[in-house]
Amino acid sequence: MNAHQQPALVIENVSVSYGHVRAVTDFNLSVNSGEVVALLGPNGAGKTTTLRAVSGLLPIQSGRVTLCGQLVSGLRPDQIARSGLLQVPEGRQVVAPLTVLENLQMAGLASKRCPPKELNAEIERIFTMFPNIARRRDVASGLLSGGEQQMLAIGRALIARPVALLLDEPSMGLSPLLTEVIYEFFALRAEVFGNVAVILAEQSRIALSVADRVCVLSKGQVVFTGLSSEFSQSLMVRAYLGVDAKASV
């Protein structure tokens, strides 16, 4: 990245609470265009809470989020999405009665980021990227396998031409084989993500296989940030046990 280039997504000192319980404290992370950052942590660490707050689905108690230098925290979720910050939530949440094709068409039209005249070409690009769902384009999405629904959910976000993309535990509920298939797609980063800034939240180390950097959450606090190559199994164990991994670096 050019030294003067601004990060695509900047999350500054974000804290989130559920009532009187602090769930995330002073979360900081910046992600450059074309960069993938793995957000790791055990169940209950605050990964989903962080992503939901960044995308406007939960209120931020303090802190701010900017996208390409523009403040987006405080906007409605639909406004944040149309600004180019998209999330693929855990559990995929495809529109089950609609076909694969209809899900993609709806996403493209709702985002208003893909010109209608270019929508069909974008859909075909997604189908080329994910041939598994291309073969089932006229099938109701609720009838797809978990892996196929995950591909559709990712394709639905990509068709909205995001600037930044938040992926919340894409391996959740998938067999090891299907998880491997999903991550084979992620490994084709230039083709799948292009210049999109990506935060990839997972409980396991599998996200490190495609990530440039890693950020580890434990009990709502960042305990490690650094290059994926710097993150060891011992650091992960310490982080997951709630021990401050920074002390080990």
Side-chain angles (χ1 to χ4, degrees):
M1 183 185 74
N2 185 291
H4 301 291
Q5 184 179 344
Q6 195 172 47
L9 176 64
V10 179
I11 308 165
E12 300 177 86
N13 300 314
V14 164
S15 294
V16 185
S17 295
Y18 293 106
H20 297 294
V21 179
R22 179 66 64 86
V24 176
T25 302
D26 293 332
F27 182 91
N28 287 277
L29 184 65
S30 63
V31 190
N32 303 321
S33 297
E35 183 180 33
V36 177
V37 176
L39 179 61
L40 300 184
N43 187 37
K47 303 184 302 299
T48 294
T49 296
T50 298
L51 297 190
R52 286 175 60 83
V54 169
S55 59
L57 297 172
L58 284 175
I60 292 176
Q61 186 173 16
S62 60
R64 67 202 298 263
V65 179
T66 57
L67 188 69
C68 298
Q70 300 298 310
L71 185 68
V72 295
S73 47
L75 298 178
R76 299 192 313 266
D78 62 303
Q79 293 173 321
I80 292 175
R82 286 172 181 159
S83 73
L85 176 53
L86 276 293
Q87 180 174 353
V88 178
E90 61 180 355
R92 298 170 279 280
Q93 299 181 18
V94 297
V95 184
L98 298 184
T99 67
V100 169
L101 179 60
E102 289 168 341
N103 265 266
L104 293 174
Q105 289 171 331
M106 179 187 66
L109 293 172
S111 74
K112 299 184 179 179
R113 294 181 58 80
C114 179
K117 64 181 181 181
E118 299 177 18
L119 181 56
N120 288 338
E122 282 293 299
I123 290 173
E124 290 307 315
R125 184 177 73 87
I126 297 300
F127 281 152
T128 299
M129 191 183 305
F130 298 116
N132 300 57
I133 61 172
R135 292 189 287 268
R136 310 196 71 187
R137 67 177 66 199
D138 296 319
V139 174
S141 60
L143 300 178
L144 302 180
S145 69
E148 290 168 339
Q149 287 187 1
Q150 187 64 74
M151 293 175 199
L152 175 56
I154 295 167
R156 197 173 56 181
L158 291 175
I159 211 164
R161 296 184 175 179
V163 174
L165 181 61
L166 313 177
L167 296 166
D168 193 3
E169 300 203 38
S171 68
M172 177 180 284
L174 301 184
S175 68
L177 180 59
L178 284 175
T179 296
E180 185 177 330
V181 170
I182 292 295
Y183 272 83
E184 285 175 356
F185 285 113
F186 290 167
L188 303 173
R189 285 179 33 173
E191 178 185 345
V192 177
F193 299 131
N195 288 323
V196 178
V198 178
I199 298 179
L200 174 55
E202 285 282 14
Q203 289 190 45
S204 72
R205 290 172 60 91
I206 190 169
L208 298 177
S209 65
V210 297
D212 301 293
R213 289 188 293 129
V214 59
C215 175
V216 182
L217 271 176
S218 179
K219 299 179 181 178
Q221 294 185 304
V222 175
V223 295
F224 176 85
T225 55
L227 297 175
S228 296
S229 58
E230 297 173 343
F231 190 63
S232 66
Q233 181 67 31
S234 61
L235 285 175
M236 187 164 187
V237 170
R238 289 174 65 85
Y240 275 45
L241 290 175
V243 179
D244 191 345
K246 293 175 183 175
S248 304
V249 182

